[in-house]
Amino acid sequence: MSTTSQKHRDFVAEPMGDKHVTALSGIGEVLGKKLEEQGFDKAYVVLGQFLVLRKDELFIEWLKDTCGANSKQASSCYTCLKEWCDSFL
Amino acid sequence: MPVFLEDPALFSKERLKSELIANNVALPLSESKKEVYLQLYLKHVTNQNVADFSSDEEEAFEPVHQALKDEDKSCIEMMDISQLTDKELKTQLIKYGVKPGPIVGSTRPVYEKKLLKLIGSVPAVKQNGTGDVGRYSDSEEDERGEEESHSRSGTEPSPTRSQWERDQLDLSCSSSKSEKEDVLEEMFPDEARTPTGISATRRRPIKGAAGRPVQFKYSELVTQAPATGDQKPSVSGHLVPIWAQIAVFIVIAGFLFLIYHSMEANQDNPFSSFL
């Protein structure tokens, strides 16, 4: 079994549509709120930022700076978005 | 005139704060991120250094400075990262081998931080490289000198043999090192040089393991559903071979066939033994 969480698998399984940013793997209530304050209230907005950074690992740095995520959470979100893009983009 | 020249990115937040206060710079909002302090520090403190820099040009500097002085103009420019235009920031990043995306409002701070990190790491790497090589060759000569004197004085076989081994080692080391460098240069012309020749490159995730199983799993389950309800899900991302699926299908079909025939009334001999 791969080392992904249930949240990750749920997110990667279907188009994200209008899901809230807390649907992203690694983003819980606290981080979700912080992202909302910055204007990233939906998952697709964070996806936008991920794409503008060319799907690079710089996204992890950005996430850490923006909402104070730790390495594990940021990496988890990065992997989640990356896989979603591999399947649907 | 600064006493040390440390990388300001390595300073702690407290240190940056105190430096700013010492230079009469207004502190940002309390509890700001370290970068805010860092930016202010670079902007104001290094503005002073630039003035000192030009006047002290003829004095002997630490190797760090000498490495930077090779590109004098761009060095000063680097110090003022926040003053760079988007285009210039992009060119600087490309120089370090980074391929940046659009430098937009939300991406600019990320790229500035990245550039800072790259600038901070490159001079240190250069210095390490030259220092190590110098030390290495010195130690080689020393050891060889020792061995020779030893062989002259003491018993013959062991020192000469070890000397020979050491010579071989030295030869192979130096030749392999130069070979390594050449090969590395050929293979990775864009990578920054490192003292050991090892540099980490981001590995693309294996598509089969990460990207595909989700899609494949669904289609696999769909094809198996009419055949059997008993199939175990595929194990850790590996595909169940098709021949195995067909074999199981045939076995179950044969089993159903036998059941059908055993149900039929008045079927003689072949199936009576099964009843």
Side-chain angles (χ1 to χ4, degrees), chain A residues 1-2 8-9 12-13 40 49 51-59 61-62 64-68 78 82-83 86-88, chain B residues 33 35 98-102 104 106-107 109-111 113-114 117 202-205 207 209-211 214-215 217-218 235-236:
Chain A
M1 208 43 156
S2 54
H8 173 106
R9 289 194 287 277
V12 173
F40 297 89
Q49 182 68 17
L51 295 174
V52 163
L53 288 169
R54 302 181 67 96
K55 306 194 214 166
D56 194 68
E57 279 174 4
L58 269 179
F59 173 78
E61 302 299 320
W62 173 84
K64 284 200 223 173
D65 292 340
T66 311
C67 66
Y78 168 79
K82 196 161 203 314
E83 270 191 45
D86 287 343
S87 302
F88 295 104
Chain B
K33 291 204 178 284
E35 279 127 54
V98 176
K99 207 171 169 222
V104 172
S106 58
T107 62
V110 188
Y111 285 123
K113 195 175 155 204
K114 176 114 194 174
K117 238 199 295 186
R202 193 173 70 247
R203 182 174 67 103
R204 307 206 114 232
K207 200 125 204 267
V214 177
Q215 285 176 328
K217 226 192 231 179
Y218 283 137
V235 182
S236 66

Side-chain angles (χ1 to χ4, degrees), chain B residues 145-216:
Chain B
E146 277 178 13
E147 284 296 342
E148 284 175 3
S149 61
H150 207 272
S151 64
R152 262 184 252 127
S153 59
T155 53
E156 293 299 310
S158 37
T160 49
R161 207 188 326 139
S162 60
Q163 186 193 349
W164 173 78
E165 280 174 2
R166 208 170 281 284
D167 281 342
Q168 291 292 86
L169 265 173
D170 292 341
L171 274 173
S172 60
C173 276
S174 51
S175 63
S176 68
K177 197 162 192 257
S178 55
E179 276 172 15
K180 217 189 340 176
E181 283 169 5
D182 293 340
V183 169
L184 275 179
E185 272 177 28
E186 284 167 19
M187 287 188 349
F188 304 110
D190 298 324
E191 286 287 347
R193 306 279 169 265
T194 56
T196 55
I198 299 166
S199 65
T201 51
R202 193 173 70 247
R203 182 174 67 103
R204 307 206 114 232
I206 301 168
K207 200 125 204 267
R212 263 197 289 150
V214 177
Q215 285 176 328
F216 191 83

